[in-house]
Each structure stands twice: as C-alpha cells, then as structure tokens.
Amino acid sequence: MNLSSKPHAMYTPRALQALEQGLVELESHALTRRRRIADSPCAPHICLDGEQVVAFASNDYLGLASHPALIDAIAEGARRYGAGSGGSHLLGGHSRAHVLLEDALADYAGGFARAPRALSFSTGYMANLAILTALAGRGATIYSDALNHASLIDGARLSRADVRIYPHADAVALAAMMDDDHGDGVKLIVTDAVFSMDGDVAPLAELAALAERHQAWLVVDDAHGFGVQGGDGAGTVAALGLRSSLLVYMGTLGKAAGVSGAFVVAESTVIEWLVQRARTYIFTTAAAPALAHAARASVALMRGPEGAARRRVLRANVDAMRGFVARTAWATPAAHTPILPIVIGVNEAALALAGSLMEQGFWVPAVRPPTVPAGTARLRLSLSAAHEPVDIERLGAALLAAGGAGAPYAAGGAGAASPFGGIDSI
Ligand SMILES: *Cc1c(COP(=O)(O)O)cnc(C)c1O
C-alpha cells in the first residue's frame, strides 16, 4: 500500500471522531478556550484581535515586559552570545550568561539559605517538575495545597511519591496530617506562595515551622511573588524573613521580571542534586543565553530604585482597584496582591461579563474549570505598575455598572455540576 497516496475523503477514523465529540462537549459547557492575538508588545494598552483594548490580563506586574532596557539587553545578549544556546546545559549549552544570572538570583532571593545557589530553567513548569521529581520518589510523601498550580500537581504525579492534598492554606489541617504520618520516607510540603487564581498568600511561616518539625522540604512556588513581594521585590520568602536550609524556592522570570524562564534557589547541595538528577534540567536545550542576559538586567532593575518605584505604583493601583470592587456586590479578596479574582460562579455568567467588558474595551479574562474549582468561574483581574489611574477608574466604573447592587451580573451563585468541573486534583 502506498501511504503517501491521496487521503481517504470519505472516512473519519474513530479516534478523530472522539476528539470532535470532546470539543463539542466542551463547547456545550462553555468551556472552549480561545487564544486572542496580540499585535503589540505586552502593555496595558494593546491591539488584541484587531481592537484597541485596555488589558487587565497579564502577569507583567511591574510593566517591565516592554521596558527599553530589557529590549536592548536581549539584543545585546544575542549579539554577544548568539540567537540560541545550541545544546543542553550539560552538553555545551551552558553559557556565561546563565552563570551570571544564577549568581545574581542567588544573591537576590537566597537570603533564607546558609549557602544559597541558583539554577536557571527555561520555564517555571519545568523547574517545578525538576524539584519534585528530583527530591521525591517512590516512598516519599508530598503534602500539596489543594489550590496548587498545575505544574506542581504534574510534578507530584510524575515523582511517583504518595500525594496528600491538604485543604487550601490550612496549616492546622496539614499539621494534623503530618502528625498522623509515622513513616520515615522523604517528605515535602509544596505550595504556591501567591496563589495564581485567588491572589491569596500561603501561610509560609507556619509551613516552614512544620517543615522543620517534620524534617520535610518546603517547596515554595513564588511565580507571582518574585519581583513583587517585599520592599526590594526579592519575593514572598524574603519578605517574611524566613530562614531554613529546608526551603526550596522557585521563582519565574516571565511574570514580574518581564522576560522568560525560571529559577530555583536553595542550599548549594540541593542545586547540585538538581544538576545531577533533574531530568527537565538535563534533557532539554538550555534557554537562549540572550534571555538569561536580559533576565539579569531585569533583576538589576527590580532590585534598584526603579523596581521600588514600580512596586509603589503597583500597590497604589491594587488599592485603587480594590476600592472599586469593594463597592460592588462581589466579594473583595482578602489579600493585597496584584491578582484580584471576582468570583461569579456559573461559567456562562463569567463569560458574559468578560464579553460585556470586552465590548467596552477592557480585557479581563474569565477563568473557568478545570483551572478553578467548579462553580467558581471568575474574572481574573491582574494589575500592573504600567496601568494609569484613568485605566483603573474606567474599569472600576464599568464594574460598578455591571455588579453594583441590583446590576445584571451581581447575583453570582454556584454553577451546575459539569463533567469538566472540579479542580484537576491529583
Ligand atoms: C506561571 C506559573 C508557573 C509556570 O511558570 P512558567 O515560567 O510560565 O512555565 C508555575 N507556577 C505558578 C504558580 C505559575 O503561576
């Protein structure tokens, strides 16, 4: 048979039919996701699907993603080191640019450790898989917050450890679970520092005390806190002044840092173990050195007076937006972070509100299950230092019109159970 001959026009394989049916089912539950196309750099005012909109959607909390100094740094890095790394870190792809970035990161975010060292990764997703698979294995126990990021969930699964989910941000419940556990296997407590869909902050001091008591690793994913939390932006762990050799800190470079990539900071021994054992470090092409070069420039910006000034503007923007949300019928989130969820409930209602805001020129994404638990579809509003007061006031007015007492979207309520509902738990 000639496999390169004309495709069969009349016949749809069963495997393909199943996918078509799956897509129809997603659509029927208002769960189809669409990618909107940006024709401009990441900024509050962007051209999205051909329309000018004000975006409250990015993780570019400090407004650094289109900072001229970082654009120049990428160009300079490319001139100095080339366009690509050409190989994995252990086989020729490890550049001076990566080394300098790692040194800067260990110095910035490693204050919790005795001998801090950093390891850079191409993405936070890979960094989390690296930590969990290298530190945990069969016989280990991973204690994981119920609302942890998908990359931590996947890393825990891939590690083959026993996974025990503790109620969200509940250190008391976790303590009871750990007291119950009399095994002597490796233990890890794993948590987002700032939760990506709720914007609240993990009880890290309590978790660190538990980690010490049970000699467990404490793995902290600070994707949304690095660059933002703490006076100097060194992240949520540094802001709390925690110190422990059991801490393993992950931060990302594509959110507040405005570039791309991620890193782990821990005791030097932990980092050496990752270099030797972490498959998502070893078996992948090193990120372009130009990106590492730009990320180091970003660290310098975040640490310096410009970073401090941007954090002050960001905090003012967060407070101003919270003031508007507080005047609607929706609950105002407790934590003062740049992630402001407005929980609507039903998928269709969240989509309708996002659609109505889009018609008024605001891009505020609706987040649905399985990214968030069923019945908690929401708008995920994120703020940046790059937003102008007028951006916030205009969105605030639109929210008041939509969700003030008696307004069309104010009711909320729990969504109907759907086959796709429920957080994608372990
Ligand atoms: C974004 C994010 C990641 C993944 O980081 P990438 O660099 O985008 O792969 C991991 N954890 C959390 C909490 C995140 O929000």
Side-chain angles (χ1 to χ4, degrees):
M1 191 171 78
N2 180 0
L3 290 176
S4 69
S5 69
K6 233 175 23 182
H8 300 271
M10 309 302 296
Y11 146 80
T12 308
R14 276 242 297 278
L16 195 53
Q17 279 177 25
L19 297 188
E20 284 168 356
Q21 214 176 330
L23 289 173
V24 167
E25 217 163 306
L26 283 174
E27 183 69 47
S28 74
H29 290 95
L31 286 171
T32 304
R33 289 143 188 263
R34 260 189 68 218
R35 298 170 301 165
R36 300 180 184 277
I37 301 170
D39 274 304
S40 50
C42 176
H45 294 254
I46 58 172
C47 176
L48 196 70
D49 284 346
E51 307 275 348
Q52 277 304 126
V53 298
V54 188
F56 290 86
S58 85
N59 303 309
D60 182 24
Y61 302 121
L62 299 180
L64 294 178
S66 45
H67 194 294
L70 300 188
I71 296 167
D72 285 350
I74 290 195
E76 187 203 309
R79 278 192 296 275
R80 200 184 292 182
Y81 300 104
S85 70
S88 66
H89 283 280
L90 300 188
L91 292 175
H94 192 53
S95 145
R96 177 65 60 193
H98 298 116
V99 176
L100 294 172
L101 170 63
E102 289 171 352
D103 290 350
L105 289 166
D107 190 51
Y108 187 23
F112 61 84
R114 281 178 306 165
R117 195 178 146 197
L119 192 65
S120 69
F121 283 83
S122 358
T123 71
Y125 193 108
M126 300 232 282
N128 279 342
L129 294 193
I131 295 167
L132 297 189
T133 57
L135 294 184
R138 276 188 217 286
T141 306
I142 291 177
Y143 298 91
S144 183
D145 186 286
L147 294 187
N148 274 345
H149 188 262
S151 55
L152 292 172
I153 295 173
D154 293 354
R157 285 178 178 157
L158 197 56
S159 76
R160 299 185 166 97
D162 285 332
V163 180
R164 303 197 58 194
I165 315 284
Y166 62 89
H168 175 54
D170 190 341
V172 175
L174 174 61
M177 276 167 95
M178 295 186 84
D179 282 340
D180 251 13
D181 179 353
H182 302 291
D184 57 1
V186 172
K187 299 183 178 76
L188 288 82
I189 300 170
V190 176
T191 187
D192 284 20
V194 176
F195 286 86
S196 52
M197 295 300 142
D198 293 76
D200 58 335
V201 181
L204 291 181
E206 287 89 338
L207 298 183
L210 275 178
E212 290 288 339
R213 175 141 66 91
H214 292 276
Q215 291 297 289
W217 296 108
L218 175 57
V219 178
V220 176
D221 174 342
D222 205 17
H224 298 279
F226 178 68
V228 173
Q229 299 274 88
D232 66 351
T236 312
V237 166
L240 291 169
L242 299 179
R243 293 186 154 269
S244 171
S245 295
L246 291 165
L247 259 163
V248 180
Y249 179 87
M250 195 286 285
T252 61
L253 300 166
K255 289 175 177 161
V259 186
S260 184
F263 63 95
V264 180
V265 178
E267 291 293 349
S268 168
T269 307
V270 175
I271 296 301
E272 187 57 30
W273 183 251
L274 294 184
V275 171
Q276 301 304 323
R277 303 298 300 177
R279 296 167 67 85
T280 60
Y281 184 75
I282 298 169
F283 297 107
T284 191
T285 300
L291 293 175
H293 188 73
R296 183 161 62 100
S298 174
V299 168
L301 268 176
M302 291 192 297
R303 269 193 109 159
E306 182 168 348
R310 283 172 182 260
R311 278 185 291 278
R312 278 195 296 276
V313 174
L314 174 61
R315 283 183 193 128
N317 286 347
V318 169
D319 287 344
M321 187 51 86
R322 291 174 59 84
F324 282 107
V325 176
R327 290 161 56 196
T328 68
W330 298 302
T332 315
H336 289 247
T337 67
I339 301 170
L340 248 165
I342 299 180
V343 177
I344 308 292
V346 183
N347 294 343
E348 286 81 355
L351 280 181
L353 177 54
S356 150
L357 291 172
M358 183 60 101
E359 276 167 23
Q360 301 169 65
F362 303 105
W363 185 29
V364 186
V367 183
R368 288 158 286 164
T371 309
V372 294
T376 72
R378 65 196 66 186
L379 296 191
R380 179 183 183 274
L381 207 162
S382 62
L383 292 158
S384 167
H387 284 118
E388 300 285 341
V390 61
D391 299 329
I392 311 237
E393 283 154 22
R394 288 187 49 230
L395 176 62
L399 285 175
L400 280 176
Y409 297 97
S418 110
F420 302 97
I423 194 153
D424 190 14
S425 61
I426 301 169

PDB file of all heavy atoms in Angstrom, residues 56 197 330 339-345 349-355 357 364-368 376-382 395 399:
ATOM      1  N   PHE A  56      -6.279  43.875  31.448  1.00  0.00           N
ATOM      2  CA  PHE A  56      -6.044  43.570  32.866  1.00  0.00           C
ATOM      3  C   PHE A  56      -5.835  42.063  32.955  1.00  0.00           C
ATOM      4  O   PHE A  56      -6.553  41.361  33.662  1.00  0.00           O
ATOM      5  CB  PHE A  56      -7.237  44.016  33.706  1.00  0.00           C
ATOM      6  CG  PHE A  56      -7.379  45.505  33.803  1.00  0.00           C
ATOM      7  CD1 PHE A  56      -8.057  46.219  32.829  1.00  0.00           C
ATOM      8  CD2 PHE A  56      -6.790  46.197  34.853  1.00  0.00           C
ATOM      9  CE1 PHE A  56      -8.176  47.598  32.912  1.00  0.00           C
ATOM     10  CE2 PHE A  56      -6.901  47.579  34.954  1.00  0.00           C
ATOM     11  CZ  PHE A  56      -7.593  48.280  33.967  1.00  0.00           C
ATOM     12  N   MET A 197      -4.774  31.920  40.988  1.00  0.00           N
ATOM     13  CA  MET A 197      -6.148  32.252  40.602  1.00  0.00           C
ATOM     14  C   MET A 197      -6.925  32.943  41.716  1.00  0.00           C
ATOM     15  O   MET A 197      -8.029  33.416  41.519  1.00  0.00           O
ATOM     16  CB  MET A 197      -6.905  30.984  40.163  1.00  0.00           C
ATOM     17  CG  MET A 197      -6.340  30.362  38.917  1.00  0.00           C
ATOM     18  SD  MET A 197      -6.397  31.505  37.515  1.00  0.00           S
ATOM     19  CE  MET A 197      -4.841  31.126  36.722  1.00  0.00           C
ATOM     20  N   TRP A 330     -19.872  41.948  44.589  1.00  0.00           N
ATOM     21  CA  TRP A 330     -18.960  40.809  44.644  1.00  0.00           C
ATOM     22  C   TRP A 330     -18.023  40.934  45.840  1.00  0.00           C
ATOM     23  O   TRP A 330     -17.731  42.038  46.314  1.00  0.00           O
ATOM     24  CB  TRP A 330     -18.120  40.738  43.372  1.00  0.00           C
ATOM     25  CG  TRP A 330     -18.950  40.535  42.145  1.00  0.00           C
ATOM     26  CD1 TRP A 330     -19.809  39.508  41.901  1.00  0.00           C
ATOM     27  CD2 TRP A 330     -19.007  41.403  41.001  1.00  0.00           C
ATOM     28  NE1 TRP A 330     -20.397  39.679  40.669  1.00  0.00           N
ATOM     29  CE2 TRP A 330     -19.926  40.817  40.096  1.00  0.00           C
ATOM     30  CE3 TRP A 330     -18.363  42.594  40.658  1.00  0.00           C
ATOM     31  CZ2 TRP A 330     -20.217  41.398  38.863  1.00  0.00           C
ATOM     32  CZ3 TRP A 330     -18.646  43.168  39.433  1.00  0.00           C
ATOM     33  CH2 TRP A 330     -19.571  42.575  38.556  1.00  0.00           C
ATOM     34  N   ILE A 339      -3.240  40.129  41.937  1.00  0.00           N
ATOM     35  CA  ILE A 339      -4.238  39.233  41.355  1.00  0.00           C
ATOM     36  C   ILE A 339      -5.549  39.428  42.105  1.00  0.00           C
ATOM     37  O   ILE A 339      -5.634  39.152  43.303  1.00  0.00           O
ATOM     38  CB  ILE A 339      -3.795  37.762  41.468  1.00  0.00           C
ATOM     39  CG1 ILE A 339      -2.464  37.567  40.745  1.00  0.00           C
ATOM     40  CG2 ILE A 339      -4.874  36.832  40.915  1.00  0.00           C
ATOM     41  CD1 ILE A 339      -1.825  36.206  41.014  1.00  0.00           C
ATOM     42  N   LEU A 340      -6.553  39.930  41.393  1.00  0.00           N
ATOM     43  CA  LEU A 340      -7.836  40.252  42.025  1.00  0.00           C
ATOM     44  C   LEU A 340      -8.930  39.410  41.384  1.00  0.00           C
ATOM     45  O   LEU A 340      -9.443  39.765  40.328  1.00  0.00           O
ATOM     46  CB  LEU A 340      -8.131  41.730  41.759  1.00  0.00           C
ATOM     47  CG  LEU A 340      -8.103  42.706  42.911  1.00  0.00           C
ATOM     48  CD1 LEU A 340      -8.062  44.136  42.417  1.00  0.00           C
ATOM     49  CD2 LEU A 340      -9.319  42.506  43.782  1.00  0.00           C
ATOM     50  N   PRO A 341      -9.303  38.292  41.998  1.00  0.00           N
ATOM     51  CA  PRO A 341     -10.374  37.494  41.408  1.00  0.00           C
ATOM     52  C   PRO A 341     -11.740  38.066  41.757  1.00  0.00           C
ATOM     53  O   PRO A 341     -11.952  38.530  42.864  1.00  0.00           O
ATOM     54  CB  PRO A 341     -10.180  36.129  42.070  1.00  0.00           C
ATOM     55  CG  PRO A 341      -9.543  36.427  43.387  1.00  0.00           C
ATOM     56  CD  PRO A 341      -8.758  37.695  43.236  1.00  0.00           C
ATOM     57  N   ILE A 342     -12.638  38.066  40.758  1.00  0.00           N
ATOM     58  CA  ILE A 342     -14.029  38.414  41.027  1.00  0.00           C
ATOM     59  C   ILE A 342     -14.822  37.156  40.733  1.00  0.00           C
ATOM     60  O   ILE A 342     -15.035  36.796  39.579  1.00  0.00           O
ATOM     61  CB  ILE A 342     -14.480  39.591  40.148  1.00  0.00           C
ATOM     62  CG1 ILE A 342     -13.620  40.825  40.460  1.00  0.00           C
ATOM     63  CG2 ILE A 342     -15.961  39.879  40.362  1.00  0.00           C
ATOM     64  CD1 ILE A 342     -13.976  42.054  39.656  1.00  0.00           C
ATOM     65  N   VAL A 343     -15.196  36.455  41.801  1.00  0.00           N
ATOM     66  CA  VAL A 343     -15.818  35.138  41.628  1.00  0.00           C
ATOM     67  C   VAL A 343     -17.292  35.321  41.275  1.00  0.00           C
ATOM     68  O   VAL A 343     -18.044  35.954  42.016  1.00  0.00           O
ATOM     69  CB  VAL A 343     -15.659  34.277  42.898  1.00  0.00           C
ATOM     70  CG1 VAL A 343     -16.377  32.938  42.733  1.00  0.00           C
ATOM     71  CG2 VAL A 343     -14.173  34.044  43.173  1.00  0.00           C
ATOM     72  N   ILE A 344     -17.686  34.779  40.102  1.00  0.00           N
ATOM     73  CA  ILE A 344     -19.043  34.934  39.591  1.00  0.00           C
ATOM     74  C   ILE A 344     -19.837  33.658  39.836  1.00  0.00           C
ATOM     75  O   ILE A 344     -21.002  33.704  40.184  1.00  0.00           O
ATOM     76  CB  ILE A 344     -19.027  35.230  38.067  1.00  0.00           C
ATOM     77  CG1 ILE A 344     -18.098  36.411  37.755  1.00  0.00           C
ATOM     78  CG2 ILE A 344     -20.432  35.453  37.535  1.00  0.00           C
ATOM     79  CD1 ILE A 344     -18.571  37.724  38.267  1.00  0.00           C
ATOM     80  N   GLY A 345     -19.205  32.498  39.633  1.00  0.00           N
ATOM     81  CA  GLY A 345     -19.905  31.238  39.865  1.00  0.00           C
ATOM     82  C   GLY A 345     -20.086  30.445  38.591  1.00  0.00           C
ATOM     83  O   GLY A 345     -19.287  29.577  38.270  1.00  0.00           O
ATOM     84  N   ALA A 349     -22.047  32.912  33.030  1.00  0.00           N
ATOM     85  CA  ALA A 349     -22.165  34.269  33.575  1.00  0.00           C
ATOM     86  C   ALA A 349     -20.800  34.960  33.587  1.00  0.00           C
ATOM     87  O   ALA A 349     -20.687  36.152  33.273  1.00  0.00           O
ATOM     88  CB  ALA A 349     -22.743  34.219  34.987  1.00  0.00           C
ATOM     89  N   ALA A 350     -19.764  34.198  33.933  1.00  0.00           N
ATOM     90  CA  ALA A 350     -18.419  34.781  33.930  1.00  0.00           C
ATOM     91  C   ALA A 350     -18.030  35.176  32.511  1.00  0.00           C
ATOM     92  O   ALA A 350     -17.484  36.264  32.280  1.00  0.00           O
ATOM     93  CB  ALA A 350     -17.414  33.786  34.517  1.00  0.00           C
ATOM     94  N   LEU A 351     -18.353  34.303  31.561  1.00  0.00           N
ATOM     95  CA  LEU A 351     -18.037  34.607  30.152  1.00  0.00           C
ATOM     96  C   LEU A 351     -18.816  35.829  29.667  1.00  0.00           C
ATOM     97  O   LEU A 351     -18.280  36.673  28.950  1.00  0.00           O
ATOM     98  CB  LEU A 351     -18.390  33.411  29.260  1.00  0.00           C
ATOM     99  CG  LEU A 351     -17.391  32.265  29.220  1.00  0.00           C
ATOM    100  CD1 LEU A 351     -17.898  31.189  28.261  1.00  0.00           C
ATOM    101  CD2 LEU A 351     -16.020  32.759  28.780  1.00  0.00           C
ATOM    102  N   ALA A 352     -20.091  35.903  30.060  1.00  0.00           N
ATOM    103  CA  ALA A 352     -20.922  37.016  29.610  1.00  0.00           C
ATOM    104  C   ALA A 352     -20.377  38.337  30.149  1.00  0.00           C
ATOM    105  O   ALA A 352     -20.310  39.340  29.430  1.00  0.00           O
ATOM    106  CB  ALA A 352     -22.364  36.806  30.058  1.00  0.00           C
ATOM    107  N   LEU A 353     -19.960  38.331  31.413  1.00  0.00           N
ATOM    108  CA  LEU A 353     -19.420  39.564  31.987  1.00  0.00           C
ATOM    109  C   LEU A 353     -18.105  39.935  31.299  1.00  0.00           C
ATOM    110  O   LEU A 353     -17.886  41.106  30.953  1.00  0.00           O
ATOM    111  CB  LEU A 353     -19.218  39.385  33.498  1.00  0.00           C
ATOM    112  CG  LEU A 353     -18.587  40.558  34.236  1.00  0.00           C
ATOM    113  CD1 LEU A 353     -19.348  41.855  33.984  1.00  0.00           C
ATOM    114  CD2 LEU A 353     -18.550  40.282  35.742  1.00  0.00           C
ATOM    115  N   ALA A 354     -17.244  38.941  31.072  1.00  0.00           N
ATOM    116  CA  ALA A 354     -15.983  39.228  30.372  1.00  0.00           C
ATOM    117  C   ALA A 354     -16.283  39.778  28.975  1.00  0.00           C
ATOM    118  O   ALA A 354     -15.621  40.715  28.506  1.00  0.00           O
ATOM    119  CB  ALA A 354     -15.128  37.960  30.283  1.00  0.00           C
ATOM    120  N   GLY A 355     -17.319  39.210  28.322  1.00  0.00           N
ATOM    121  CA  GLY A 355     -17.689  39.660  26.983  1.00  0.00           C
ATOM    122  C   GLY A 355     -18.207  41.091  26.996  1.00  0.00           C
ATOM    123  O   GLY A 355     -17.858  41.906  26.136  1.00  0.00           O
ATOM    124  N   LEU A 357     -17.464  43.402  29.214  1.00  0.00           N
ATOM    125  CA  LEU A 357     -16.330  44.307  29.461  1.00  0.00           C
ATOM    126  C   LEU A 357     -15.504  44.468  28.184  1.00  0.00           C
ATOM    127  O   LEU A 357     -15.032  45.570  27.871  1.00  0.00           O
ATOM    128  CB  LEU A 357     -15.454  43.771  30.602  1.00  0.00           C
ATOM    129  CG  LEU A 357     -16.105  43.828  31.993  1.00  0.00           C
ATOM    130  CD1 LEU A 357     -15.240  43.110  33.016  1.00  0.00           C
ATOM    131  CD2 LEU A 357     -16.345  45.277  32.417  1.00  0.00           C
ATOM    132  N   VAL A 364     -10.520  41.536  30.491  1.00  0.00           N
ATOM    133  CA  VAL A 364     -10.395  40.900  31.811  1.00  0.00           C
ATOM    134  C   VAL A 364     -10.793  39.441  31.605  1.00  0.00           C
ATOM    135  O   VAL A 364     -11.967  39.154  31.399  1.00  0.00           O
ATOM    136  CB  VAL A 364     -11.327  41.566  32.846  1.00  0.00           C
ATOM    137  CG1 VAL A 364     -11.068  40.982  34.220  1.00  0.00           C
ATOM    138  CG2 VAL A 364     -11.137  43.069  32.870  1.00  0.00           C
ATOM    139  N   PRO A 365      -9.844  38.519  31.613  1.00  0.00           N
ATOM    140  CA  PRO A 365     -10.192  37.147  31.243  1.00  0.00           C
ATOM    141  C   PRO A 365     -11.096  36.454  32.248  1.00  0.00           C
ATOM    142  O   PRO A 365     -10.986  36.674  33.456  1.00  0.00           O
ATOM    143  CB  PRO A 365      -8.844  36.425  31.178  1.00  0.00           C
ATOM    144  CG  PRO A 365      -7.813  37.393  31.597  1.00  0.00           C
ATOM    145  CD  PRO A 365      -8.432  38.706  31.916  1.00  0.00           C
ATOM    146  N   ALA A 366     -11.992  35.627  31.709  1.00  0.00           N
ATOM    147  CA  ALA A 366     -12.801  34.738  32.541  1.00  0.00           C
ATOM    148  C   ALA A 366     -12.003  33.456  32.723  1.00  0.00           C
ATOM    149  O   ALA A 366     -11.428  32.934  31.781  1.00  0.00           O
ATOM    150  CB  ALA A 366     -14.130  34.454  31.855  1.00  0.00           C
ATOM    151  N   VAL A 367     -11.936  32.964  33.941  1.00  0.00           N
ATOM    152  CA  VAL A 367     -11.233  31.706  34.221  1.00  0.00           C
ATOM    153  C   VAL A 367     -12.254  30.679  34.688  1.00  0.00           C
ATOM    154  O   VAL A 367     -13.048  30.952  35.581  1.00  0.00           O
ATOM    155  CB  VAL A 367     -10.150  31.906  35.304  1.00  0.00           C
ATOM    156  CG1 VAL A 367      -9.381  30.619  35.518  1.00  0.00           C
ATOM    157  CG2 VAL A 367      -9.202  33.026  34.915  1.00  0.00           C
ATOM    158  N   ARG A 368     -12.235  29.548  34.028  1.00  0.00           N
ATOM    159  CA  ARG A 368     -13.241  28.502  34.282  1.00  0.00           C
ATOM    160  C   ARG A 368     -12.555  27.210  34.708  1.00  0.00           C
ATOM    161  O   ARG A 368     -11.354  27.061  34.574  1.00  0.00           O
ATOM    162  CB  ARG A 368     -14.018  28.261  32.985  1.00  0.00           C
ATOM    163  CG  ARG A 368     -14.954  29.371  32.615  1.00  0.00           C
ATOM    164  CD  ARG A 368     -15.261  29.352  31.131  1.00  0.00           C
ATOM    165  NE  ARG A 368     -14.133  29.835  30.349  1.00  0.00           N
ATOM    166  CZ  ARG A 368     -13.993  29.650  29.036  1.00  0.00           C
ATOM    167  NH1 ARG A 368     -14.894  28.984  28.368  1.00  0.00           N
ATOM    168  NH2 ARG A 368     -12.937  30.131  28.402  1.00  0.00           N
ATOM    169  N   THR A 376     -16.926  28.117  40.570  1.00  0.00           N
ATOM    170  CA  THR A 376     -16.206  29.332  40.981  1.00  0.00           C
ATOM    171  C   THR A 376     -15.589  30.037  39.779  1.00  0.00           C
ATOM    172  O   THR A 376     -14.549  30.676  39.896  1.00  0.00           O
ATOM    173  CB  THR A 376     -15.097  29.044  42.025  1.00  0.00           C
ATOM    174  OG1 THR A 376     -14.016  28.358  41.361  1.00  0.00           O
ATOM    175  CG2 THR A 376     -15.585  28.209  43.187  1.00  0.00           C
ATOM    176  N   ALA A 377     -16.256  29.916  38.625  1.00  0.00           N
ATOM    177  CA  ALA A 377     -15.780  30.660  37.452  1.00  0.00           C
ATOM    178  C   ALA A 377     -15.670  32.125  37.843  1.00  0.00           C
ATOM    179  O   ALA A 377     -16.463  32.621  38.642  1.00  0.00           O
ATOM    180  CB  ALA A 377     -16.744  30.473  36.285  1.00  0.00           C
ATOM    181  N   ARG A 378     -14.673  32.776  37.314  1.00  0.00           N
ATOM    182  CA  ARG A 378     -14.400  34.124  37.801  1.00  0.00           C
ATOM    183  C   ARG A 378     -13.759  34.993  36.736  1.00  0.00           C
ATOM    184  O   ARG A 378     -13.261  34.487  35.727  1.00  0.00           O
ATOM    185  CB  ARG A 378     -13.431  34.041  38.984  1.00  0.00           C
ATOM    186  CG  ARG A 378     -12.068  33.509  38.581  1.00  0.00           C
ATOM    187  CD  ARG A 378     -11.247  33.057  39.766  1.00  0.00           C
ATOM    188  NE  ARG A 378     -11.829  31.897  40.422  1.00  0.00           N
ATOM    189  CZ  ARG A 378     -11.376  31.368  41.559  1.00  0.00           C
ATOM    190  NH1 ARG A 378     -10.344  31.902  42.164  1.00  0.00           N
ATOM    191  NH2 ARG A 378     -11.934  30.308  42.083  1.00  0.00           N
ATOM    192  N   LEU A 379     -13.744  36.273  36.991  1.00  0.00           N
ATOM    193  CA  LEU A 379     -12.863  37.153  36.246  1.00  0.00           C
ATOM    194  C   LEU A 379     -11.557  37.197  37.023  1.00  0.00           C
ATOM    195  O   LEU A 379     -11.566  37.308  38.247  1.00  0.00           O
ATOM    196  CB  LEU A 379     -13.428  38.570  36.168  1.00  0.00           C
ATOM    197  CG  LEU A 379     -14.736  38.765  35.420  1.00  0.00           C
ATOM    198  CD1 LEU A 379     -14.972  40.256  35.234  1.00  0.00           C
ATOM    199  CD2 LEU A 379     -14.704  38.076  34.073  1.00  0.00           C
ATOM    200  N   ARG A 380     -10.466  37.069  36.306  1.00  0.00           N
ATOM    201  CA  ARG A 380      -9.168  37.195  36.971  1.00  0.00           C
ATOM    202  C   ARG A 380      -8.557  38.493  36.482  1.00  0.00           C
ATOM    203  O   ARG A 380      -8.054  38.599  35.385  1.00  0.00           O
ATOM    204  CB  ARG A 380      -8.253  36.040  36.635  1.00  0.00           C
ATOM    205  CG  ARG A 380      -6.874  36.138  37.293  1.00  0.00           C
ATOM    206  CD  ARG A 380      -6.004  34.997  36.840  1.00  0.00           C
ATOM    207  NE  ARG A 380      -4.697  34.975  37.467  1.00  0.00           N
ATOM    208  CZ  ARG A 380      -3.637  35.647  37.037  1.00  0.00           C
ATOM    209  NH1 ARG A 380      -3.734  36.444  35.990  1.00  0.00           N
ATOM    210  NH2 ARG A 380      -2.478  35.535  37.653  1.00  0.00           N
ATOM    211  N   LEU A 381      -8.656  39.464  37.390  1.00  0.00           N
ATOM    212  CA  LEU A 381      -8.206  40.795  37.053  1.00  0.00           C
ATOM    213  C   LEU A 381      -6.774  40.927  37.566  1.00  0.00           C
ATOM    214  O   LEU A 381      -6.521  40.657  38.744  1.00  0.00           O
ATOM    215  CB  LEU A 381      -9.135  41.706  37.836  1.00  0.00           C
ATOM    216  CG  LEU A 381      -9.461  43.097  37.413  1.00  0.00           C
ATOM    217  CD1 LEU A 381     -10.715  43.509  38.146  1.00  0.00           C
ATOM    218  CD2 LEU A 381      -8.333  43.999  37.758  1.00  0.00           C
ATOM    219  N   SER A 382      -5.842  41.274  36.725  1.00  0.00           N
ATOM    220  CA  SER A 382      -4.489  41.454  37.246  1.00  0.00           C
ATOM    221  C   SER A 382      -3.999  42.854  36.935  1.00  0.00           C
ATOM    222  O   SER A 382      -4.287  43.425  35.886  1.00  0.00           O
ATOM    223  CB  SER A 382      -3.538  40.385  36.708  1.00  0.00           C
ATOM    224  OG  SER A 382      -3.448  40.468  35.321  1.00  0.00           O
ATOM    225  N   LEU A 395     -12.209  51.104  34.301  1.00  0.00           N
ATOM    226  CA  LEU A 395     -12.656  49.723  34.557  1.00  0.00           C
ATOM    227  C   LEU A 395     -13.513  49.680  35.825  1.00  0.00           C
ATOM    228  O   LEU A 395     -14.526  48.981  35.880  1.00  0.00           O
ATOM    229  CB  LEU A 395     -11.460  48.769  34.697  1.00  0.00           C
ATOM    230  CG  LEU A 395     -11.860  47.336  35.062  1.00  0.00           C
ATOM    231  CD1 LEU A 395     -12.737  46.710  33.980  1.00  0.00           C
ATOM    232  CD2 LEU A 395     -10.631  46.459  35.304  1.00  0.00           C
ATOM    233  N   LEU A 399     -17.193  48.119  36.197  1.00  0.00           N
ATOM    234  CA  LEU A 399     -17.523  47.058  37.156  1.00  0.00           C
ATOM    235  C   LEU A 399     -18.689  47.473  38.044  1.00  0.00           C
ATOM    236  O   LEU A 399     -19.575  46.676  38.342  1.00  0.00           O
ATOM    237  CB  LEU A 399     -16.305  46.723  38.019  1.00  0.00           C
ATOM    238  CG  LEU A 399     -15.193  45.911  37.349  1.00  0.00           C
ATOM    239  CD1 LEU A 399     -14.001  45.758  38.292  1.00  0.00           C
ATOM    240  CD2 LEU A 399     -15.696  44.539  36.917  1.00  0.00           C
TER     241      LEU A 399
END
